Amino acid sequence: MITANGLEEIRALAGRDLGTSAWRTVTQDLIDTFAEVSGDHQWIHTDPVRAAAGPFGKTIAHGYLTLSWGIPMFAELLHVTGVGMALNYGLNKVRFPAPVPVGSRVRLQASVQEVTPVPGDGVQMVRAFTFELEGSPKPACAAESVTRYYL
């Protein structure tokens, strides 16, 4: 866990690898709960019997479920203090190169690509997120996440 206190220490993170989070296991209960919240009930996610005969041999996690783990997993890597507010500003790029089968494990590898000033006494941090899928040569998800920090 890295701690950055204030905008100057956030700026100093540009170009830094932040490491990897702990592994998280994808369960059918988690997939089903995400389906309820998101309204995405596609059978490849929620029907284990049908999915067993489908292209992946079992149910798979929603791509956006994997992506949503970026928030708690990133919190394992970086703690920011000395700011008044952090704002999720969005994503520049998102790809889902590999399916995430039920029972598999995912973790986040993150690095800070750049930190630039923004109006209103703030900085914008662009982070490279790679959601590693245990045992897979391809990641489950690759994304550029953008957060703004203000005094």
Side-chain angles (χ1 to χ4, degrees), residues 1 45 59:
M1 165 79 69
H45 306 303
T59 57

Short mmCIF file of all heavy atoms in Angstrom, two decimals, residues 1 45 59:
data_model
loop_
_atom_site.label_atom_id
_atom_site.label_comp_id
_atom_site.label_asym_id
_atom_site.label_seq_id
_atom_site.Cartn_x
_atom_site.Cartn_y
_atom_site.Cartn_z
N MET A 1 0.85 -1.19 0.00
CA MET A 1 0.00 0.00 0.00
C MET A 1 0.88 1.24 0.00
O MET A 1 1.78 1.37 0.83
CB MET A 1 -0.90 -0.01 1.23
CG MET A 1 -1.57 1.30 1.54
SD MET A 1 -3.02 1.72 0.58
CE MET A 1 -4.19 0.54 1.17
N HIS A 45 -24.24 -15.68 -18.22
CA HIS A 45 -23.90 -15.26 -16.86
C HIS A 45 -24.72 -16.00 -15.80
O HIS A 45 -24.17 -16.34 -14.75
CB HIS A 45 -24.12 -13.76 -16.68
CG HIS A 45 -23.43 -12.90 -17.67
ND1 HIS A 45 -22.07 -12.93 -17.87
CD2 HIS A 45 -23.92 -11.98 -18.55
CE1 HIS A 45 -21.75 -12.06 -18.82
NE2 HIS A 45 -22.86 -11.47 -19.24
N THR A 59 -20.72 -20.66 -16.63
CA THR A 59 -21.08 -19.24 -16.64
C THR A 59 -19.82 -18.39 -16.54
O THR A 59 -18.78 -18.84 -16.05
CB THR A 59 -22.04 -18.89 -15.48
OG1 THR A 59 -21.42 -19.26 -14.25
CG2 THR A 59 -23.38 -19.56 -15.65
#
